[in-house]
């Protein structure tokens, strides 16, 4: 897959589905402008004035990004969200869930509100496993109402987080832990 938004903004998207199952089957998982992306490039795109509410793997740009360890990498670059994202878990401002070392999220920002009712959420990405998140910023409000597996940038399971920033006070977790599971942080 290759999608170049050429700097355009999409607005007025409304998803509200908390039924169990995948978006393609009428369920509330893998929700976003792109639900499931198994590798490729999405770049130069903004989402504004939109609402995404689902069960799991919810993000304004991509619900679930995974390369399945193929030779086709996954790149999300120069994208932003000013949308509202609400989900039970595994969800974030731009990307809900992303897996493996061939996945990169770079030069992106979130200014939208993210609310997670269970666990695994963040401003840029929800659950990030072995991915690289670089040069990203979150100024949107991130709230976890039940558990603490949430971060201002992302929840990390071995992700590399480089040169990423967040607005102080933008993330609120149940016990006040701000950067739970941020991953490997570098300033390179």
């Amino acid at each position: 897959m290759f999608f170049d938004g050429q700097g355009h903004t999409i607005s007025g998207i409304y998803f509200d589905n908390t039924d169990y199952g995948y978006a393609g089957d009428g369920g509330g998982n893998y929700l976003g402008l792109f639900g499931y992306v198994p590798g490729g490039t999405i770049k130069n795109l903004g989402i504004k004035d939109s609402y995404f509410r689902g069960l799991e793997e919810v993000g304004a740009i991509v619900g679930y990004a995974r390369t399945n360890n193929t030779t086709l990498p996954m790149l999300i670059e120069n994208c932003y969200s000013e949308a509202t994202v609400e989900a039970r878990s595994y969800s974030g401002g731009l990307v809900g869930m992303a897996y493996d070392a061939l996945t990169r999220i770079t030069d992106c920002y979130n200014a939208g509100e993210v609310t997670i009712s269970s666990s695994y959420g963040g401003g840029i990405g929800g659950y990030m496993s072995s991915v690289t998140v670089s040069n990203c910023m979150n100024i949107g409000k991130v709230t976890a109402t039940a558990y603490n597996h949430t971060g201002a940038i992302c929840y990390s399971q071995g992700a590399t987080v480089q040169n990423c920033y967040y607005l102080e006070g933008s993330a609120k977790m149940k016990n006040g832990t701000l950067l739970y599971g941020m991953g490997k942080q570098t300033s390179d």
Side-chain angles (χ1 to χ4, degrees), residues 47-64:
I47 305 289
K48 294 174 81 171
D49 303 320
S50 296
Y51 179 79
F52 298 85
R53 180 174 176 251
L55 194 60
E56 296 180 340
E57 296 98 11
V58 180
I61 303 291
V62 177
Y64 185 38

Side-chain angles (χ1 to χ4, degrees), residues 68-187:
N68 293 323
N69 293 314
T70 66
T71 56
L72 179 64
M74 178 74 223
L75 173 65
I76 299 168
E77 178 180 42
N78 195 32
C79 293
Y80 72 90
S81 172
E82 296 177 6
T84 298
V85 173
E86 296 179 5
R88 181 178 72 186
S89 56
Y90 301 104
S91 300
L94 274 83
V95 179
M97 178 183 269
Y99 268 94
D100 80 53
L102 294 175
T103 300
R104 293 183 304 129
I105 302 168
T106 186
D107 301 321
C108 295
Y109 78 87
N110 176 59
E113 185 171 337
V114 178
T115 303
I116 305 298
S117 64
S118 182
S119 58
Y120 305 115
I124 300 299
Y127 187 92
M128 305 283 105
S129 179
S130 302
V131 305
T132 298
V133 181
S134 63
N135 304 322
C136 291
M137 176 176 67
N138 177 54
I139 59 172
K141 180 180 176 185
V142 179
T143 304
T145 59
Y147 301 106
N148 299 312
H149 297 91
T150 303
I153 299 297
C154 66
Y155 172 80
S156 165
Q157 184 67 36
T160 298
V161 179
Q162 302 172 316
N163 294 325
C164 291
Y165 302 92
Y166 60 91
L167 184 64
E168 185 175 350
S170 63
K172 180 182 177 193
M173 277 42 88
K174 185 176 181 186
N175 76 355
T177 303
L178 184 59
L179 295 175
Y180 187 88
M182 267 299 280
K184 298 176 243 172
Q185 300 177 52
T186 68
S187 59

